[in-house]
Amino acid sequence: MAGRRRLIVVSNRGPVVHDRDANGARVARRGGGGLVTALRSLVEHHDVTWIASAMSAEDKKVAEEAGGEPIAEEARSGAPYRLRFVVHDPSAYDWYYNVVANPMLWFVHHYLWGLANAPDVDHGLHHAWNEGYVPVNRNFADAVVTELEREPDAAVFFHDYHLYVAPGLVRERVPDALLTHFVHVPWSMPEYWRVLPQPIRRAVHEGLLANDVVSFHTSRWRRNFLRSCEDILGLEVDGSSDEIAVGERVVAVRARPISVDPQEFDEIAASPVVEAQEEAIAGTRPETLILRVDRTDPSKNVVRGLRAYELYLDAHPEMHGRVQMLALLDPSRQDIPEYAEYLGAVQRAARTVNDRFQQEGWIPLDLQIQDNFPQAVAAYKQFDVLLVNAIFDGMNLVAKEAPLVNTRGGVLILSENTGAHEELGEWALTVNPFDVAGQAGALHAAVTMAEDERRRRLEAIVDHVREHDIAGWIEAQLADLDEARARLGAPA
Ligand code: F6P
């Protein structure tokens, strides 16, 4: 393990959200999402100041009481770190999160528009960019600069598509700062970026290239980024190189697949709360359990997955009463109309399956819309088939987490457009996310796969994930950082 570093981690969502309980006492809950979980490991081993948006009213109070300074926090292991909340103007934050970051940037990254009908890039979007995305990024840049004044040698780790403008703003004010940016979503082809007005698509690319290192989960997203730097900014790019020259500076562009902490998952899987949930699932499950665990995000392709299950049930009456799909869906970004509408479409598709096939004593589809992590881990232990059919996905951590703790020789059905497919594809049943007939066929192949073949594939996935764990992901990024530091001639 590399030595302890001084790091400034910057992400929109922070590691904790503060709230009040029924008695009015302040409580801190763990922030949700795969990114936050992954970054927690960084906090355990390094000297970290984490900068994140104040999400709740209580977060804002915490920030106010601290006079805008960072507060002392503790990681799961008790390791100390500092958390600096950035308080944004509510309207600016709404334009930034609900109009620009998701849906606009998210939709570009995941190819979610059918371009004949959407998007309309109107005044509202330009306004949301200028009065929302840019000011919120400026707030983040101000907080980073303040922290760099305190710790000039710290390296800055920006995360994700919420923060494309901030690195350039920091670079203007601290030219020698060591800046890295991890993009956790897919990078789409240059043509798709051309949906965005030129000033916006240029700002995204220029902002990212203000960093010293830009990283993606796979070589596929990395390659697309290099192409789009060439196409959108007119830079000279050597596709086989992992660097781009930007004026006098060199930017390293890397593929570093994120992973999970196997030990943490083993512990969670053995915890009483998960065991209780597992007992509940085991008590009601049929012979074959097909599982999916997702946020209700259009990129996750839930509706086509349900349609595929319907086709499968149509073709295999012998399985009626013997199979169930358990869909555990975390409601996500419901203030954004596209997401709220998508959740409605999921519910309608689910209803169709049950209306067509439900019989006395058998519910073919159990759709649960809630955020219940212990229940998801319990289901990870129990599945026979795991369906991950995302349209596009930067990585998809469910594909790594669930096999780790599975006890039934479960088969992974995996979209060829997930980052995870680059690593796990050879042991999964690969599907095209648009081909519902193909997915129905894959469900049949998975359900009928011989026991020894199922076990062989599952063990290979588990071995791979245990070997390429979250600690390896962090080490690789710190090595990239050291290389960038050496190139700049700065002290470690
Ligand atoms: O995949 C990108 C990502 O930012 C994840 O890191 C995170 O789990 C997810 O999206 C959640 O997004 P939000 O913060 O909008 O809930």
Side-chain angles (χ1 to χ4, degrees), residues 210-325:
N211 291 285
D212 299 294
V213 184
V214 179
S215 303
F216 299 87
H217 289 311
T218 68
S219 50
R220 185 176 177 189
W221 316 141
R222 179 186 158 281
R223 209 167 40 240
N224 284 351
F225 177 68
L226 291 174
R227 285 182 189 149
S228 86
C229 288
E230 192 169 28
D231 188 70
I232 296 202
L233 296 182
L235 291 174
E236 233 173 75
V237 173
D238 168 2
S240 61
S241 165
D242 56 5
E243 291 178 348
I244 307 186
V246 186
E248 302 287 286
R249 297 173 45 252
V250 170
V251 180
V253 184
R254 298 286 146 85
R256 302 290 182 219
I258 198 169
S259 193
V260 297
D261 179 349
Q263 196 191 329
E264 186 181 11
F265 268 86
D266 290 342
E267 285 167 21
I268 296 170
S271 66
V273 54
V274 168
E275 290 201 329
Q277 294 270 8
E278 192 188 358
E279 238 172 74
I281 294 173
T284 56
R285 53 160 297 147
E287 185 185 316
T288 299
L289 186 66
I290 300 171
L291 175 68
R292 72 172 307 139
V293 178
D294 285 298
R295 286 184 302 106
T296 54
D297 188 307
S299 69
K300 302 295 181 182
N301 211 16
V302 181
V303 173
R304 283 199 190 87
L306 296 179
R307 176 87 183 112
Y309 182 52
E310 189 185 345
L311 294 181
Y312 166 76
L313 292 177
D314 249 337
H316 295 281
E318 77 282 5
M319 290 304 292
H320 294 188
R322 295 167 56 200
V323 64
Q324 184 179 57
M325 178 180 273

Side-chain angles (χ1 to χ4, degrees), residues 13 33-35 97 102 106 160-162 184-185 295 333:
R13 194 173 282 284
L35 163 64
Y97 186 84
N102 323 289
W106 183 269
D160 245 343
Y161 56 97
H162 311 88
H184 292 267
V185 286
R295 286 184 302 106
R333 304 174 186 164

Side-chain angles (χ1 to χ4, degrees), residues 18-29 58:
H18 296 88
D19 219 335
R20 293 269 169 188
D21 68 12
N23 303 319
R26 178 172 288 164
V27 286
R29 334 181 237 104
E58 205 56 28

Side-chain angles (χ1 to χ4, degrees), residues 7 87 390:
L7 303 172
V87 179

Side-chain angles (χ1 to χ4, degrees), residues 17 283 461:
V17 183
I461 293 174

Side-chain angles (χ1 to χ4, degrees), residues 217-221 223 255 257 395 414-416 418-426 464:
H217 289 311
T218 68
S219 50
R220 185 176 177 189
W221 316 141
R223 209 167 40 240
M395 171 53 74
L414 188 57
S415 160
E416 60 184 336
T418 59
H421 194 268
E422 209 165 90
E423 291 175 82
L424 308 180
E426 64 180 293
H464 178 92

